[in-house]
Amino acid sequence: MAKKKSPASDSTEGPLSIPIKELLPIITLLEKFTTQRDILPALRHLWFKKDAIRASAGDASSLWLTPWTFPGEFPLPAGPLVKIIASLHEQGHEAVTFDLKEKTLVLRSQGFQARLPLYQPGEAEDLSTFLQREGPTKGRATLTPEWWDEVERVAFAMSQDETKPQLRGTYW
């Protein structure tokens, strides 16, 4: 039986410095695509791979392509990550450094350091259904202010019940 590859693959690259003012809006939006309950623990995480950050709440998911190349593939708990980055932003920090160290990601900024554990999926856990599927190649829309106005107009009707993922989004 072949051993499953861990999502936290070893990286030969060094630490990555990211401007906080650019990272915060991305992870704040993507956090809304994660869950809070333990139905599927993997869905509480943001997944970093190559130049993308991905999140999924089951049927609803999001992928954000970034200008950065992350040091490996790793999942981070969305809630704590957003709180840390938001706090650093409020304190006036300019950048945060991501440094992958075995089963943790070390976050550093001037006078600050935190370690976030990387999610380790169980042997029977199939993440491909939610997190490793590819985004659409056709039918993409430009996210104009008008588009966001329309989303805001109907967002109140979205369910927050994580046991009914089909009701947690806006259908077009």
Side-chain angles (χ1 to χ4, degrees), residues 7 27 29-47 53-62 75-80 82 118-122 125-133 161-166 168:
I27 62 175
L29 174 66
L30 291 178
E31 181 190 27
K32 296 178 187 329
F33 286 89
T34 63
T35 63
Q36 301 303 314
R37 296 186 188 170
D38 289 334
I39 296 170
L40 291 171
L43 301 183
R44 290 185 288 156
H45 295 77
L46 297 179
W47 293 72
I53 307 172
R54 173 183 305 256
S56 179
D59 289 345
S61 62
S62 183
L76 293 174
V82 170
L118 304 181
Y119 178 69
Q120 301 297 317
E125 203 168 357
D126 180 14
L127 302 177
S128 63
T129 305
F130 303 112
L131 295 163
Q132 295 166 343
R133 63 183 174 201
D161 186 348
E162 293 176 7
T163 63
K164 299 175 183 163
Q166 67 277 16
R168 289 181 48 91

Side-chain angles (χ1 to χ4, degrees), residues 62-73:
S62 183
L63 171 72
W64 192 291
L65 299 176
T66 72
W68 316 293
T69 301
F70 296 103
E73 178 181 355

